[in-house]
Amino acid sequence: MSGQLIREMTLDDCARVAEIRVRGWQSAYKGLIPQSYLDALSVGQDAARRRGNFARGDGTVVNLVAERDGVVVGWVCHGPHRDSEVRTGDVELYAIYVHPDLVGQGVGRALLRESASRCAAAGHDRMLLWVLKENTPARRFYERAGFVPDGAEEPFEAGGVAVPEVRYARALTGTGLD
């Protein structure tokens, strides 16, 4: 392996990012979200949505990918924190996914570190994120990175089922994650 590179996502990465996201959902959320919902996820539809979002982007949302030996293996996305429809001065981690075969190999940590570093460099003091309440592995990942639940909870609707989410927060120090 020649190493890992974290770089800006390009339009050409959308199909691979969609594959990683859909496979990530199907792996990480098995038993937490209705299986019928997970089975119905489409890489092609997600890629088309991703390309549309990417083309319409106004620069406020940052998409980064992790690449190993020229292959995209992970994706992270952050942008302005949304409190309902109101934007605050905080930044929100919208998504982070690693190819299921590479979970636990440092890809997610590298993506999160780069995302947090960029947010701190842009002057943000705090990063927030939402995670499924029952997703213990993801919650441990974020807690090891210094995130703590801030008490906010709300349901996420998946396949007609309300799935509880909790919000996590972390102060940004300007140096990324330790």
Side-chain angles (χ1 to χ4, degrees):
M1 190 178 301
S2 65
Q4 184 168 278
L5 167 71
I6 307 293
R7 63 170 175 80
E8 297 276 339
M9 183 177 146
T10 68
L11 187 60
D12 289 341
D13 295 321
C14 288
R16 178 66 176 162
V17 166
E19 179 184 351
I20 290 167
R21 183 183 169 278
V22 167
R23 300 299 171 243
W25 269 65
Q26 291 170 333
S27 174
Y29 302 148
K30 188 176 183 111
L32 302 177
I33 288 181
Q35 190 62 44
S36 59
Y37 183 88
L38 296 174
D39 291 344
L41 294 174
S42 162
V43 172
Q45 289 175 353
D46 194 81
R49 184 173 40 256
R50 214 137 303 290
R51 283 195 274 298
N53 290 345
F54 198 85
R56 287 187 303 277
D58 63 3
T60 60
V61 175
V62 176
N63 288 276
L64 304 172
V65 294
E67 190 177 277
R68 282 191 176 173
D69 297 325
V71 177
V72 173
V73 296
W75 165 67
V76 67
C77 179
H78 67 258
H81 170 63
R82 303 151 303 176
D83 188 3
S84 297
E85 294 301 317
V86 178
R87 289 187 174 181
T88 70
D90 295 319
V91 68
E92 184 174 341
L93 183 72
Y94 299 139
I96 184 169
Y97 290 96
V98 173
H99 189 282
D101 293 343
L102 298 174
V103 170
Q105 296 186 25
V107 177
R109 184 165 171 78
L111 283 165
L112 186 55
R113 182 182 300 121
E114 182 65 21
S115 179
S117 292
R118 288 179 183 225
C119 292
H124 297 285
D125 294 324
R126 188 170 72 142
M127 180 179 267
L128 299 119
L129 62 90
W130 290 93
V131 61
L132 296 182
K133 188 172 189 173
E134 300 302 319
N135 189 345
T136 304
R139 292 182 71 170
R140 276 195 305 258
F141 170 78
Y142 294 125
E143 289 166 3
R144 282 192 304 265
F147 287 86
V148 295
D150 71 358
E153 292 190 26
E154 66 181 36
F156 167 78
E157 190 273 321
V161 175
V163 181
E165 289 185 301
V166 294
R167 190 172 64 191
Y168 274 65
R170 182 190 192 276
L172 300 174
T173 64
T175 59
L177 300 175
D178 301 328

